[in-house]
Amino acid sequence: MTHCNQPPTLYVVVPCYNEQEVLPLSSDAFRVQVQAMISAGKVGSASRVLFVDDGSTDGTWELVERLAQEDPLFEGIALSRNRGHQNALLAGLMDCRDRCDIAISIDADGQDDPAAMEDMVDAYARGCEVVYGVRSDRKTDTAFKRSSARGFYRLMERMDVETVYDHADYRLMSSRALDALAQFEEVNLFLRGMVPLVGFTSTSVSYERRARLAGTSHYPLSKMMGLAIDGITSFSVKPMRLVGCFGLVASLLGIIGIIWALVCVAIGQTVSGWASVIVVVSFFGGAQMLSLGVVGEYVGKTYLESKRRPRYVVSNRTK
Ligand code: UDP
Ligand code: MG
């Protein structure tokens, strides 16, 4: 925490993966916003924008180095390879937590309105240590993205994973909250689920989410589904319980089937039931595969966590 009358040092953490098209535009927007807040005395003059290059294969890192040379406001670290948005974000947050009082994570593509940072900092000044940016509408999304995102949050809710509705990864965290987050050692990262577990006083501010300034999304349906599966299986064992319930119902049905078969034999009405046998066998065959898959997902996750591999490796930094 800062001394009462000194403005807090802010770090804006920006994960970037192949963002050479959009970075010149969005970095300008970040600069304008942070400088305005420094001038207004809302954040300290040591505040910075920290880019995390997530193993980009285009000119993103060269761009970050150039930005850092031109303006001391900009800093950058590079990961040794692409580790994905969540890991890159964590790398940035963990890197700056000793140097800042507050950190705001934001996407590199200009979709998140930088102006909301001011509301976040104000909320921090009022005593909130975690401030979630919640999008006010989804006008700029395609109908598909909109409905799949809604399905995602619904599913999370159903599976008892505590998330903030329509909050992605645009949020403010105090260094105290970051220190607490550092104690979460899991490898399967789903920050949206982890931050609510960190606790502390929190609130949300709403902002308008815009279309990407340039470039294309790195979150195709396959990655979104991956994130949803990670989010659920890393935070909830409900799917396993559902499998258990399903097994129970299936065995009850099986017992009824056996009784039915015995009754049929008793009345002398045997054979003729080929179709029903096939239906039952194939249904339970499929159900068993599905159940095994769910169990396997957790076993695999346990395996991955047990290796305790590093979640990212920083290979380079500006200056
Ligand atoms: N990103 C990253 N590593 C990846 C994929 C994405 O650091 O492997 C970054 C990306 O540069 C952007 C943010 O994560 O700053 C969100 O990605 P994107 O805009 O592609 O996703 P969308 O907004 O479409 O969900
Ligand atoms: Mg985006």
Side-chain angles (χ1 to χ4, degrees):
M1 281 293 227
T2 40
H3 309 291
C4 297
N5 41 16
Q6 224 164 335
T9 300
L10 165 71
Y11 263 71
V12 177
V13 177
V14 192
C16 313
Y17 178 57
N18 292 346
E19 298 285 15
Q20 65 175 12
E21 275 162 69
V22 78
L23 216 52
L25 303 168
S26 57
S27 59
D28 244 11
F30 299 147
R31 179 194 352 234
V32 168
Q33 182 60 41
V34 173
Q35 257 157 12
M37 289 192 294
I38 293 176
S39 308
K42 295 208 169 191
V43 299
S45 54
S47 298
R48 297 282 179 267
V49 176
L50 173 66
F51 296 105
V52 184
D53 174 33
D54 185 18
S56 298
T57 51
D58 65 355
T60 299
W61 178 244
E62 287 70 32
L63 206 61
V64 168
E65 282 188 311
R66 185 138 41 87
L67 285 168
Q69 263 162 26
E70 286 167 2
D71 192 335
L73 184 73
F74 294 120
E75 281 181 15
I77 58 173
L79 302 192
S80 59
R81 55 157 293 160
N82 181 245
R83 294 292 291 127
H85 178 206
Q86 300 288 297
N87 296 60
L89 187 49
L90 186 74
L93 294 175
M94 291 302 111
D95 193 77
C96 72
R97 79 185 153 105
D98 301 327
R99 279 173 277 154
C100 69
D101 299 306
I102 46 178
I104 294 179
S105 49
I106 189 168
D107 283 358
D109 56 12
Q111 284 195 274
D112 305 325
D113 183 6
M117 287 186 201
E118 198 154 335
D119 297 336
M120 291 184 179
V121 172
D122 288 344
Y124 170 77
R126 289 194 304 268
C128 293
E129 302 215 30
V130 179
V131 187
Y132 301 101
V134 174
R135 47 198 301 178
S136 52
D137 64 72
R138 284 183 173 267
K139 277 191 293 224
T140 55
D141 275 358
T142 61
F144 175 72
K145 180 111 189 176
R146 215 177 307 155
S147 55
S148 58
R150 193 170 307 138
F152 173 80
Y153 291 106
R154 284 246 175 86
L155 190 62
M156 288 294 155
E157 211 170 299
R158 277 277 166 84
M159 291 293 156
D160 294 341
V161 183
E162 194 187 323
T163 47
V164 178
Y165 192 76
D166 258 358
H167 158 69
D169 283 296
Y170 186 17
R171 75 176 84 81
L172 174 147
M173 292 179 79
S174 69
S175 58
R176 215 152 67 103
L178 289 175
D179 289 344
L181 183 68
Q183 292 172 34
F184 286 63
E185 295 186 335
E186 60 222 74
V187 180
N188 293 284
L189 290 181
F190 183 63
L191 291 167
R192 265 172 255 186
M194 289 161 72
V195 176
L197 292 180
V198 167
F200 294 110
T201 318
S202 70
T203 187
S204 5
V205 302
S206 73
Y207 69 97
E208 211 170 298
R209 175 117 161 152
R210 299 174 292 208
R212 242 178 188 277
L213 292 174
T216 49
S217 169
H218 303 101
Y219 266 106
L221 182 65
S222 58
K223 266 201 194 173
M224 274 200 339
M225 282 182 35
L227 189 67
I229 291 176
D230 260 1
I232 293 167
T233 55
S234 301
F235 284 88
S236 156
V237 289
K238 216 168 174 182
M240 297 257 266
R241 200 163 306 149
L242 289 180
V243 167
C245 292
F246 186 76
L248 192 70
V249 172
S251 15
L252 288 177
L253 286 177
I255 292 172
I256 294 173
I258 290 170
I259 296 172
W260 176 61
L262 288 178
V263 169
C264 286
V265 171
I267 330 172
Q269 260 190 355
T270 35
V271 188
S272 87
W274 184 81
S276 51
V277 168
I278 291 298
V279 167
V280 170
V281 166
S282 46
F283 173 71
F284 285 107
Q288 278 169 356
M289 287 302 236
L290 178 70
S291 310
L292 274 180
V294 174
V295 175
E297 180 75 27
Y298 285 95
V299 174
K301 210 139 257 191
T302 311
Y303 172 63
L304 287 177
E305 295 290 353
S306 71
K307 286 195 277 209
R308 315 212 63 84
R309 283 186 178 155
R311 295 173 286 192
Y312 54 83
V313 175
V314 176
S315 65
N316 221 339
R317 54 176 68 238
T318 53
K319 280 184 290 179

